[in-house]
């Protein structure tokens, strides 16, 4: 791991006597004070509880015990300084049901903070909670998971918990809650399946949940849940405890844990794995966060002039390159994987992390369960870390087994997300064919002039819509003035088809299957629920589009040629064929990936006037998909009618 570059200490971060004169910004601080013991945080038992706090810059430390989430302190007990910046205390007796915090003296000031390692918390996460975690396991809580042979076999469905169930026609009882996603048998307008039944019926393999860890009270106040308020949750407060606003009662610390586990078990029982969206790259407030109260200056990155680094755009960046921050991130991920049986992690703004931390996460997860997926936003971003250490697409070759969202493919398909009126391949734009081909090939180096960042296809997460930016439908409305909605539906269907038939990991946004709209709102992170909810009336209205998405997912599942495991296989079996402008064609040859079809021919046609293409002479071509798009198939010539995807096969 790299060490943060040394800077002049701009602020008094405590009496240097506590650390023998070594500043938190000194290159030697980690060497002298990083701690590798396994007992940080709370170790509970009915006979007594042990507390271990890492706070090397503190002159004094205390444990504060509370009888409830709101009452005054019952006891303040001094902790004993121990090795390498740790403080310890053992309290006899059963503390189950109590709440706790730490107080530390930094210079002349006392700071009170929640234990960063707290695994249970009170309402709004302002106090840690002491409980027996085994009592939070639901009645059915198994280690069994749906099978997954390779990351490219995944089809990811991104979902915000509240969005799923708050629409008045959702038919879901536990609206906006963990248990809402666990409900089966729910029905909506015209008797359509909603909620979990709807998701399972699509054929996806993974549900990716927007943040479910405890996030800031300023975003959602857990004591005011009867009032309408909404947030995506990208403002972490307590990393190792679930968010209480999704629980049926946020005042009961163990209940949010039990209900989240019950939801995960329900998903597993329906053949769905769970990916957790994690936001370790920044905290909700760099000055008020527990990390800063306990060890000021250590956990975050700073500029040379003493200001916080802000590559995240959220006011601060965490210093993942520092040992105890890196250790915290790695162990937090492992905790969620072990305690909650999480099947994958999506790293928000992963490009702000360091390569070493991401590789350590992947190594430790491989030891635990190699089928756990790791993907992230490998955007190239500015932060106070050497460029070659940043975990972005430029360093993908140093991070095997970690997927990156393929923004190049996204923008080629639908147009630049920041230039709202710009067309992409599907919407009549010109000159996008080469970038489309790069995405089809899974972002690997395919050949001269064609390649992106990936070493293997599992490093490319293919998408055209996610919670960020405009939905695909809204982008099409903005960029295709004068077009009829019927033509926009054809464009939308083609975009989804391209995602599901390209090499790599396909990713779809909840509601993409029924042309989700947010009424043109680009950044709906705190918009009213009416903007963000899954509109089940729209789902019923666009039942044909839902059926089309199901057919695409089934097509991918039926043909391993779309799920090639290695770059070598792709180069050996994928051949790009001649096609006119506004069209891309390719074949997957010679039983690619063990496919039952000897050869597959795939055409993406974005020309509304249609196209005629000469088929490769590999045998007799039969129609597999897109029959309605075909106006002619004879004499070795395929004639496509309008915008859409066609798949043929030689069997």
């Amino acid at each position: 791991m790299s060490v943060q570059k040394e800077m002049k200490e701009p602020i008094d971060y405590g009496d240097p006597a506590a650390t023998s004169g070594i500043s938190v910004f000194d290159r030697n601080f980690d060497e002298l004070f990083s701690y590798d013991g396994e007992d940080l945080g709370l170790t509970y038992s009915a006979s007594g509880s042990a507390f271990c706090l890492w706070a090397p810059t503190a002159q004094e430390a205390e444990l504060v015990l509370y009888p409830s989430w709101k009452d005054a302190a019952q006891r303040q007990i001094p902790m004993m300084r121990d090795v390498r910046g740790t403080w310890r205390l053992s309290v006899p007796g059963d503390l189950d049901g109590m709440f706790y915090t730490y107080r530390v003296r930094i210079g002349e000031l006392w700071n009170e903070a929640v234990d960063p390692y707290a695994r249970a918390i009170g309402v709004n996460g302002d106090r840690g909670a002491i409980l027996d975690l085994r009592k939070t396991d639901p009645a059915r809580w198994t280690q069994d998971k749906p099978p997954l042979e390779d990351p490219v076999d995944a089809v990811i469905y991104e979902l915000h918990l509240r969005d799923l169930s708050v629409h008045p026609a959702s038919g879901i009882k536990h609206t906006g809650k963990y248990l809402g996603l666990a409900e089966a048998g729910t029905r909506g307008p015209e008797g359509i399946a909603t909620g979990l039944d709807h998701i399972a019926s699509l054929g996806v393999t993974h549900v990716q949940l927007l943040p479910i860890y405890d996030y800031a009270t300023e975003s959602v106040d857990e004591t005011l849940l009867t009032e309408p308020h909404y947030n995506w949750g990208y403002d972490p407060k307590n990393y190792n405890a679930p968010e209480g606003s999704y629980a049926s009662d946020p005042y009961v610390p163990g209940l949010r844990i039990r209900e989240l586990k019950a939801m995960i078990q329900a998903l597993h029982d329906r053949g769905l794995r769970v990916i957790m969206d994690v936001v370790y790259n920044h905290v909700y407030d760099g000055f008020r966060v527990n990390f800063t109260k306990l060890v000021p200056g250590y956990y975050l990155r700073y500029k040379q002039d003493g200001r916080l680094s802000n590559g995240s755009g959220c006011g601060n960046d965490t210093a993942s390159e520092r040992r105890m921050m890196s250790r915290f991130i790695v162990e937090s991920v492992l905790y969620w994987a072990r305690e909650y049986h999480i099947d994958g992690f999506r790293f928000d703004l992963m490009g702000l992390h360091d390569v070493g931390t991401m590789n350590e996460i992947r190594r430790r997860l491989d030891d635990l369960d190699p089928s756990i997926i790791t993907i992230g936003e490998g955007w190239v971003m500015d932060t106070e870390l050497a460029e070659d250490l940043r975990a972005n697409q430029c360093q993908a070759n140093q991070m095997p087994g970690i997927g990156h969202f393929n923004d190049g493919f996204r923008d080629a398909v639908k147009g630049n997300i920041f230039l709202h009126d710009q067309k992409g391949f599907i919407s009549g734009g010109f000159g996008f064919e080469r970038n489309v081909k790069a995405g089809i090939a899974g972002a690997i180096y395919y050949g001269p002039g064609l390649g992106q960042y990936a070493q293997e296809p599992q490093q490319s997460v293919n998408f055209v819509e996610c919670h960020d930016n405009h939905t695909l439908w809204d982008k099409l409305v903005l960029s295709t003035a004068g077009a009829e909605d019927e033509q926009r539906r054809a464009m939308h269907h083609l975009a989804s088809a391209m995602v599901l038939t390209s090499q790599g990991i396909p990713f779809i946004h909840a509601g993409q299957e029924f042309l989700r709209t947010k009424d043109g709102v680009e950044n709906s992170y705190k918009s009213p629920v009416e903007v963000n909810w899954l509109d089940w009336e729209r789902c019923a209205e666009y039942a044909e589009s839902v059926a089309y998405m199901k057919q695409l997912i089934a097509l991918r599942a039926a043909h391993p040629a779309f799920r090639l495991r290695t770059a070598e296989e792709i180069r050996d079996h994928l051949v790009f064929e001649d096609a006119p402008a506004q069209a891309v064609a390719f074949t997957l040859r010679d039983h690619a990936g063990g496919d039952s079809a000897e050869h597959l021919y795939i055409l993406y046609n974005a020309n509304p006037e249609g196209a005629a293409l000469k088929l490769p002479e590999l045998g007799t071509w039969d129609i597999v998909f897109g029959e309605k798009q075909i106006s002619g198939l004879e004499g070795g010539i395929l004639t496509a009618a309008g915008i859409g995807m066609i798949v043929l096969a030689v069997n």
Side-chain angles (χ1 to χ4, degrees):
M1 299 251 174
S2 64
V3 178
Q4 187 182 38
K5 58 186 178 183
E6 196 165 2
M7 61 174 280
K8 294 181 180 178
E9 188 171 352
I11 308 171
D12 180 8
Y13 283 99
D15 186 349
T19 55
S20 303
I22 304 298
S23 161
V24 291
F25 300 112
D26 193 293
R27 294 179 186 275
N28 296 317
F29 191 85
D30 273 343
E31 295 296 330
L32 293 172
F33 295 106
S34 63
Y35 177 68
D36 61 4
E38 298 181 357
D39 55 351
L40 287 172
L42 162 65
T43 304
Y44 165 84
S45 76
S47 60
S49 295
F51 300 84
C52 182
L53 165 68
W54 186 75
T57 60
Q59 283 87 5
E60 297 179 75
E62 296 177 343
L63 173 73
V64 187
L65 291 174
Y66 295 91
S68 74
W69 68 272
K70 64 178 179 179
D71 291 329
Q74 185 181 86
R75 300 168 67 187
Q76 293 181 209
I77 312 172
M79 302 182 76
M80 297 294 294
R81 186 189 293 274
D82 201 9
V83 298
R84 303 187 70 83
T86 57
W87 298 81
R88 296 186 182 281
L89 177 66
S90 293
V91 180
D94 192 350
L95 299 182
D96 192 359
M98 298 286 287
F99 294 78
Y100 77 104
T101 61
Y102 295 125
R103 292 182 76 233
V104 295
R105 183 168 68 83
I106 308 292
E108 299 305 316
L109 297 176
W110 281 92
N111 295 334
E112 184 170 2
V114 178
D115 181 359
Y117 285 83
R119 296 173 172 180
I121 51 176
V123 68
N124 279 333
D126 292 328
R127 293 175 182 174
I130 304 173
L131 51 77
D132 181 353
L133 278 170
R134 297 289 59 80
K135 293 180 181 179
T136 69
D137 293 343
R140 174 170 166 75
W141 188 230
T142 74
Q143 294 286 346
D144 298 335
K145 296 184 176 187
L148 182 72
E149 292 185 9
D150 191 274
V152 299
D153 291 336
V155 178
I156 299 172
Y157 188 83
E158 184 196 39
L159 174 70
H160 185 285
L161 264 174
R162 199 175 299 280
D163 293 358
L164 178 78
S165 53
V166 293
H167 189 275
S170 73
I172 296 171
K173 177 182 177 182
H174 297 91
T175 57
K177 305 299 181 183
Y178 296 119
L179 295 181
L181 179 52
E183 287 183 43
T186 60
R187 295 294 179 265
E190 301 179 32
I192 64 167
T194 62
L196 177 57
D197 283 9
H198 169 79
I199 296 171
S201 74
L202 292 174
V204 299
T205 66
H206 290 66
V207 175
Q208 178 176 301
L209 296 170
L210 268 68
I212 53 172
Y213 53 71
D214 178 60
Y215 52 81
T217 310
E218 290 80 358
S219 295
V220 174
D221 187 334
E222 296 172 8
T223 69
L224 301 173
L225 295 182
T226 57
E227 299 182 11
H229 56 328
Y230 178 95
N231 203 280
W232 284 343
Y234 289 91
D235 45 4
K237 186 171 182 177
N238 293 289
Y239 279 106
N240 291 340
E243 166 62 18
S245 65
Y246 302 135
S248 58
D249 188 344
Y251 293 91
V252 181
L255 191 62
R256 65 181 73 187
I257 300 174
R258 175 183 288 270
E259 290 180 349
L260 174 55
K261 289 178 176 178
M263 182 202 77
I264 292 168
Q265 185 65 56
L267 288 165
H268 284 170
D269 288 345
R270 294 296 291 273
L272 294 162
R273 287 181 163 231
V274 181
I275 296 175
M276 183 179 178
D277 194 333
V278 288
V279 188
Y280 295 107
N281 67 85
H282 72 274
V283 296
Y284 78 100
D285 187 305
F287 299 98
R288 293 187 295 157
V289 72
N290 302 326
F291 288 137
T292 298
K293 290 179 179 179
L294 294 170
V295 193
Y298 180 81
Y299 287 100
L300 304 178
R301 290 185 186 135
Y302 292 81
K303 296 179 179 291
Q304 290 295 303
D305 61 6
R307 292 178 299 145
L308 286 166
S309 176
N310 188 25
S312 68
C314 300
N316 60 84
D317 304 334
T318 56
S320 67
E321 68 280 5
R322 306 203 74 175
R323 289 185 190 174
M324 295 303 287
M325 186 71 244
S326 179
R327 174 185 173 173
F328 180 87
I329 295 170
V330 172
E331 293 185 350
S332 178
V333 168
L334 289 168
Y335 173 69
W336 284 100
R338 290 180 179 130
E339 183 67 27
Y340 290 88
H341 304 172
I342 294 291
D343 309 291
F345 296 89
R346 177 265 189 193
F347 291 86
D348 183 69
L349 302 186
M350 184 174 70
L352 295 176
H353 292 318
D354 68 291
V355 169
T357 294
M358 293 308 305
N359 281 337
E360 181 65 7
I361 290 168
R362 185 65 264 171
R363 184 187 72 80
R364 297 283 293 276
L365 289 176
D366 282 341
D367 289 343
L368 178 66
D369 177 0
S371 73
I372 293 175
I373 285 178
T374 47
I375 60 176
E377 292 181 304
W379 315 139
V380 177
M381 309 175 74
D382 188 29
T383 186
E384 292 297 302
L385 181 69
E387 290 185 14
D388 62 341
L389 300 180
R390 300 174 193 170
N392 57 37
Q393 291 177 1
C394 298
Q395 275 68 246
N397 64 329
Q398 299 178 43
M399 297 184 289
I402 296 175
H404 300 248
F405 284 86
N406 193 334
D407 54 332
F409 186 50
R410 174 200 65 196
D411 287 357
V413 173
K414 70 175 184 178
N416 190 294
I417 59 170
F418 302 114
L419 303 175
H420 301 160
D421 61 349
Q422 185 189 83
K423 299 178 185 296
F425 174 80
I426 60 169
S427 46
F430 288 91
F432 291 103
E433 288 82 0
R434 180 173 292 277
N435 288 340
V436 166
K437 290 178 180 179
I440 292 168
I444 65 160
Y445 174 75
Y446 178 80
L450 193 62
Q452 290 178 284
Y453 56 84
Q455 300 299 296
E456 299 293 347
Q458 65 174 251
Q459 290 185 293
S460 182
V461 180
N462 301 322
F463 73 118
V464 289
E465 177 180 326
C466 67
H467 68 276
D468 278 322
N469 311 113
H470 291 108
T471 68
L472 176 58
W473 182 259
D474 289 347
K475 167 67 173 176
L476 288 171
V477 169
L478 289 167
S479 60
T480 60
E484 298 291 333
D485 278 356
E486 183 178 358
Q487 190 175 71
R488 289 181 180 136
R489 283 197 295 273
M491 296 172 183
H492 199 289
H493 289 181
L494 176 57
S496 295
M498 294 168 73
V499 167
L500 268 299
T501 53
S502 291
Q503 303 299 324
I505 302 173
F507 173 105
I508 59 178
H509 182 217
Q512 183 177 331
E513 66 275 22
F514 52 80
L515 319 179
R516 183 175 183 173
T517 178
K518 295 182 181 178
D519 299 321
V521 176
E522 180 184 10
N523 185 13
S524 67
Y525 76 101
K526 61 176 183 179
S527 297
V529 292
E530 292 82 2
V531 172
N532 285 290
W533 65 25
L534 289 187
D535 185 344
W536 295 106
E537 291 176 348
R538 188 174 178 90
C539 183
E541 180 183 358
Y542 292 106
E544 281 190 23
S545 295
V546 176
Y548 187 78
M549 182 67 81
K550 291 180 182 179
Q551 291 163 11
L552 290 174
I553 294 170
L555 176 71
R556 183 178 181 87
H559 289 280
F562 296 123
R563 299 176 277 118
L564 299 178
R565 275 33 177 168
T566 68
E568 184 178 7
E569 282 186 285
I570 294 170
R571 286 188 287 265
D572 286 347
H573 295 280
L574 190 154
V575 177
F576 289 104
E577 307 292 349
D578 290 338
Q582 296 185 281
V584 172
F586 61 98
T587 49
L588 292 161
R589 302 188 177 194
D590 304 319
H591 298 287
D595 204 292
S596 59
E598 184 176 1
H599 310 297
L600 291 172
Y601 178 93
I602 300 91
L603 170 65
Y604 304 148
N605 179 52
N607 188 336
E609 304 302 320
L613 300 97
K614 187 176 187 307
L615 295 170
E617 297 178 1
L618 298 172
T620 301
W621 292 100
D622 298 318
I623 300 171
V624 173
F625 191 91
E627 185 172 6
K628 292 180 180 179
Q629 301 299 129
I630 299 173
S631 60
L633 179 58
E634 57 184 347
I637 301 295
L638 168 65
T639 306
I643 299 168
M645 180 182 76
I646 295 168
V647 180
L648 309 176
V650 173
N651 293 300

